[in-house]
Amino acid sequence: MIQQRKGVVLIISAASGTGKTTLVKRLLAEFPNFAYSISCTTRPPREGEVDGIDYYFLSREEFIARREQGYFAEWAEVYGNFYGSPLKPMLEKLAQGQDVIFEIDVQGAAQVRLSIPEAQCIFILPPSLAELEKRLRGRGTDSEEVIARRMSAATQEIREAHWFDTWVVNDNLDIAYDCLRAAYVASTLAPTLAPQHVRALLAQEK
Ligand code: 5GP
């Protein structure tokens, strides 16, 4: 009988406004067994965001205290706010054979990559910078100053895309989703996640 495989760590990065949250929500809806790593942040909640679902919203003092206790698998300062992924829930989910998805920036992705080299790093690219700016404006949640900061940060992030395992261009959402889904499913087929499968088959040899 085929036994359970180890969990996959999937890291999704992109410049903000690229559509990664929409793509990740779709993946989580199709694969309910996925565990989403809920990050902590010091930025204030946007309209509709719920504490404990979208993020854990912390004060700067609380974030720094937790960081010093080794609470985070990775952390980064993005647009003047701190963001971090709690370590313990991730390790627990992986030990249970669950796949864990992180939606984090490139600095965080690089840190997770160092501690978990087999993590699959996927970068979502916008079709163009003009389209990215249009989407950020259309979101209607950020001030002009924040949009300008996000646009200059976007090119910085895209400069890091070269070391990711997979690129997904989000021009058409359905096509981008198919690519993301394919990359995820392919990553679950790595022999290192279930080396016992082939051992078990060979043990059946007569
Ligand atoms: P936003 O404020 O738009 O939700 O997120 C801003 C950026 O921070 C995005 O690139 C997002 O992926 C990233 N981010 C969110 N959570 C984390 C985290 O836990 N760690 C790191 N390194 N980046 C994060």
Side-chain angles (χ1 to χ4, degrees):
M1 196 179 95
I2 299 285
Q3 292 153 24
Q4 207 188 6
R5 63 167 171 81
K6 281 192 234 161
V8 167
V9 174
L10 206 66
I11 299 175
I12 316 286
S13 290
S16 59
T18 313
K20 76 177 178 308
T21 305
T22 308
L23 287 165
V24 167
K25 283 200 173 133
R26 214 151 144 179
L27 198 64
L28 292 173
E30 183 176 351
F31 299 95
N33 206 27
F34 239 124
Y36 179 78
S37 170
I38 303 172
S39 296
C40 298
T41 182
T42 60
R43 85 148 160 75
R46 294 197 184 109
E47 204 178 317
E49 283 183 334
V50 179
D51 186 47
I53 292 183
D54 300 286
Y55 280 105
Y56 295 108
F57 295 99
L58 304 181
S59 67
R60 265 181 111 80
E61 296 69 36
E62 177 64 22
F63 190 100
I64 291 166
R66 291 196 192 187
R67 192 179 71 193
E68 276 160 18
Q69 288 157 16
Y71 182 83
F72 296 116
E74 60 74 37
W75 71 275
E77 188 168 1
V78 186
Y79 315 122
N81 294 304
F82 291 137
Y83 294 82
S85 309
L87 174 64
K88 213 170 133 214
M90 171 190 78
L91 295 178
E92 285 169 0
K93 299 281 164 34
L94 286 176
Q96 291 158 12
Q98 258 192 293
D99 299 330
V100 183
I101 192 162
F102 290 78
E103 205 186 317
I104 59 180
D105 89 316
V106 293
Q107 308 167 71
Q111 288 173 53
V112 176
R113 201 7 132 36
L114 277 181
S115 47
I116 308 174
E118 62 278 16
Q120 285 299 308
C121 298
I122 301 179
F123 199 96
I124 317 280
L125 292 162
S128 69
L129 290 185
E131 176 63 24
L132 180 64
E133 189 166 349
K134 198 171 120 198
R135 289 182 193 169
L136 281 175
R137 257 174 231 294
R139 199 154 75 166
T141 51
D142 297 322
S143 66
E144 280 301 308
E145 190 204 330
V146 171
I147 290 174
R149 259 197 291 156
R150 286 184 190 274
M151 281 308 294
S152 82
T155 46
Q156 291 299 109
E157 298 230 21
I158 291 168
R159 274 198 186 95
E160 291 298 312
H162 63 90
W163 60 262
F164 278 69
D165 301 302
T166 304
W167 292 345
V168 172
V169 178
N170 186 10
D171 189 358
N172 172 295
L173 188 67
D174 289 333
I175 295 173
Y177 180 68
D178 283 347
C179 296
L180 175 63
R181 184 186 191 285
Y184 162 61
V185 172
S187 74
T188 67
L189 308 178
T192 49
L193 296 177
Q196 73 277 13
H197 288 179
V198 165
R199 279 204 297 272
L201 288 174
L202 293 178
Q204 293 161 15
E205 193 183 18
K206 295 207 173 100

